[in-house]
C-alpha cells in the first residue's frame, strides 16, 4: 500500500493486514486454536484434562486475544505488546520446560510442560521474535511518516543523526555562568 507520496507506510500495511505484528497475531491465533483443538480432541475423551485444564484454558484465552488483535486491529501498540508478551512469557516457558516438569504440579492449577509443549512455546516465541525484527526493519523507513503508528513508539529508541525538521528548538538567549548573550538554539554539539 502507498500513501499520497507513493511510498509504502506502516499505517497502510496495518490497514491491509500485512504488518508483521498483525500477521504474527493471526499466526498465533491459528496456532493456539490448533493446539487447543488437538488437546480437547485427544485428552477430553480419556479424562486427561483433569490435571491439565488450566494449561488448555490459557491457550484458548491467549488465542482469543490473538484473534481480536489480528483481525479487529485495535492498534499497533496493542499488537506489539501482545507479540512481546508472547516472546517473553512463552519463550521463558519453552526454555524452563526443558528443566522443570511443570508449574504448580501438585495443585488443581497444574500446568505440566512436556516436550511438545516446550517446542510449541519456543516456536511461538521465535516466530514472534522474527515478526518484531521485521517490524523494526520496516520502522526505520517509516519513522518520519506523519501517518505512521510507529512514529511515537518505535520498538527501541531509534534516533537518526541530527535534528528532525519538525522539532523546533526556540531561539533563546540565556545567561550562562554570568556571561549574557549565549545562544542556545542547536541541539547538535
Amino acid at each position: 500500500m502507498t500513501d499520497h507520496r507513493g511510498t509504502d507506510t506502516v499505517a497502510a500495511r496495518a490497514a491491509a493486514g500485512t504488518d508483521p505484528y498483525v500477521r504474527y497475531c493471526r499466526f498465533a491465533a491459528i496456532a493456539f486454536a490448533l493446539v487447543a483443538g488437538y488437546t480437547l480432541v485427544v485428552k477430553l475423551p480419556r479424562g486427561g484434562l483433569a490435571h491439565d485444564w488450566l494449561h488448555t484454558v490459557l491457550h484458548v484465552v491467549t488465542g482469543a486475544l490473538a484473534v481480536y488483535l489480528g483481525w479487529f486491529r485495535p492498534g499497533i501498540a496493542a499488537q506489539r505488546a501482545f507479540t512481546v508478551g508472547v516472546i517473553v512469557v512463552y519463550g521463558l516457558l519453552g526454555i524452563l520446560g526443558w528443566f522443570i516438569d511443570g508449574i504448580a504440579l501438585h495443585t488443581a492449577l497444574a500446568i505440566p510442560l512436556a516436550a511438545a509443549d516446550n517446542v510449541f512455546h519456543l516456536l511461538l516465541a521465535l516466530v514472534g521474535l522474527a515478526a518484531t525484527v521485521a517490524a523494526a526493519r520496516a520502522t526505520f523507513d517509516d519513522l518520519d511518516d506523519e501517518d505512521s503508528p510507529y512514529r511515537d513508539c518505535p520498538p527501541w529508541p531509534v534516533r537518526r543523526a541530527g535534528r528532525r525538521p519538525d522539532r523546533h528548538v526556540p531561539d533563546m538567549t540565556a545567561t550562562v555562568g554570568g556571561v549574557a548573550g549565549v545562544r542556545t538554539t542547536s541541539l547538535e554539539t
Side-chain angles (χ1 to χ4, degrees):
M1 306 243 62
T2 59
D3 66 1
H4 65 283
R5 294 174 299 211
T7 58
D8 191 13
T9 64
V10 175
R13 287 192 304 270
T18 60
D19 182 75
Y21 292 127
V22 174
R23 286 185 174 186
Y24 178 74
C25 290
R26 291 177 179 180
F27 163 80
I30 293 167
F32 279 115
L34 290 173
V35 167
Y38 172 79
T39 303
L40 290 174
V41 167
V42 171
K43 289 187 177 181
L44 192 59
R46 293 185 288 151
L49 287 180
H51 301 289
D52 195 14
W53 67 271
L54 182 60
H55 195 183
T56 303
V57 167
L58 289 173
H59 283 176
V60 169
V61 169
T62 309
L65 181 60
V67 166
Y68 173 69
L69 294 171
W71 278 277
F72 299 103
R73 294 189 291 279
I76 294 294
Q79 294 159 342
R80 184 178 68 203
F82 174 81
T83 304
V84 171
V86 169
I87 292 169
V88 171
V89 173
Y90 283 93
L92 285 173
L93 281 175
I95 293 169
L96 289 175
W98 297 108
F99 303 103
I100 61 174
D101 292 331
I103 300 170
L105 291 178
H106 302 294
T107 68
L109 304 176
I111 301 175
L113 297 172
D117 297 319
N118 299 333
V119 170
F120 174 68
H121 295 159
L122 286 173
L123 177 69
L124 284 170
L126 290 175
V127 174
L129 187 60
T132 302
V133 168
R137 289 177 55 113
T139 301
F140 284 112
D141 297 332
D142 297 327
L143 279 178
D144 291 327
D145 278 348
E146 290 181 21
D147 297 333
S148 173
Y150 290 117
R151 182 175 181 160
D152 296 324
C153 58
W156 57 79
V158 177
R159 298 291 177 243
R160 295 184 181 177
R163 231 179 355 162
R164 290 177 59 173
D166 62 334
R167 301 248 172 116
H168 176 68
V169 177
D171 184 14
M172 300 184 311
T173 303
T175 303
V176 178
V179 178
V182 176
R183 298 184 66 82
T184 59
T185 59
S186 178
L187 292 176
E188 303 162 352
T189 55

